[in-house]
Amino acid sequence: RLEANGVSTPELLFYGKTSDGRLAVVTEKVVGSSTFIDVFLKARTRAEQVDLLMRLCREVAGQHIKGLLQKDLHLGNFMIDEKKIHTLDPGTMQFLGRAVGRRTSISQLALLARSLPAEDTESVARLAREYFAARRWSFEKADEAELGKQIRLHTKRIMTKQLRKCVRTSKRKL
């Protein structure tokens, strides 16, 4: 479905159950590519990181226009090479059949913006303007406020989830 929507993704070679009953997905190796998160973390400057996020922002905006919604949006769900960004993990995507709405789009943009330090409001604003320009929307004060709200909500949700992982008791037997 990604290919049918013009989204770059590694070619699917196999999906199904292995001989031992496990589910497996095998895709082509995209030569010369790296995971987006690896490239992002190895960037030498904040400016390089922002430029990378701008590219990803345009890609996500294009997917949103086509009605593709990544339900587990994070930098690890993309690969990047010199020419393209490749989308991974289509199992967590929804194919809506219509463009993603403004509020959901802002929520998704907030997930990407969380990759930047909270105090870097200038870069977050640049990212938002890039996304909105790709969607051919104007970036209003209300959108800016909603983006800030969504960044705080996602940060709280993710921190709560991580804290639960740290304090839970294991049920595994040693």
Side-chain angles (χ1 to χ4, degrees):
R1 291 178 83 177
L2 289 176
E3 289 173 352
N5 281 287
V7 175
S8 180
T9 188
E11 182 183 347
L12 180 64
L13 302 174
F14 170 81
Y15 71 96
K17 288 190 177 185
T18 61
S19 60
D20 62 356
R22 295 182 192 194
L23 293 175
V25 175
V26 179
T27 62
E28 73 171 319
K29 178 180 173 131
V30 181
V31 178
S33 68
S34 299
T35 62
F36 194 93
I37 194 164
D38 285 344
V39 174
F40 181 81
L41 293 174
K42 290 176 185 172
R44 292 184 299 272
T45 65
R46 173 72 39 81
E48 285 181 22
Q49 287 182 328
V50 172
D51 288 344
L52 285 165
L53 284 175
M54 297 289 229
R55 282 182 65 191
L56 182 56
C57 193
R58 287 188 297 271
E59 175 65 27
V60 170
Q63 291 180 14
H64 285 172
I65 290 167
K66 295 173 182 177
L68 308 178
L69 180 63
Q70 180 72 258
K71 297 299 285 183
D72 185 26
L73 182 63
H74 59 82
L75 303 184
N77 274 344
F78 299 91
M79 293 180 70
I80 186 169
D81 61 26
E82 298 262 336
K83 299 175 187 172
K84 296 183 199 176
I85 293 176
H86 309 274
T87 299
L88 307 173
D89 202 8
T92 62
M93 294 185 84
Q94 280 186 305
F95 299 84
L96 302 175
R98 58 175 163 60
V100 175
R102 194 177 195 103
R103 186 171 183 151
T104 301
S105 294
I106 292 172
S107 178
Q108 293 260 292
L109 178 60
L111 287 168
L112 294 179
R114 284 194 71 260
S115 303
L116 296 168
E119 67 274 4
D120 191 359
T121 56
E122 183 180 320
S123 294
V124 170
R126 278 187 60 211
L127 194 66
R129 287 191 300 272
E130 187 74 19
Y131 178 89
F132 274 70
R135 292 294 306 263
R136 293 182 168 53
W137 290 343
S138 60
F139 186 55
E140 308 293 335
K141 283 285 185 195
D143 298 319
E144 188 175 0
E146 181 64 22
L147 178 60
K149 176 183 164 189
Q150 289 298 320
I151 290 171
R152 289 186 298 279
L153 286 171
H154 286 305
T155 299
K156 182 179 178 181
R157 181 183 55 80
I158 290 166
M159 288 176 70
T160 300
K161 185 177 177 181
Q162 292 300 318
L163 184 58
R164 280 191 194 126
K165 284 183 177 180
C166 292
V167 297
R168 72 179 178 212
T169 56
S170 177
K171 295 182 180 173
R172 285 194 267 168
K173 295 181 182 181
L174 298 177

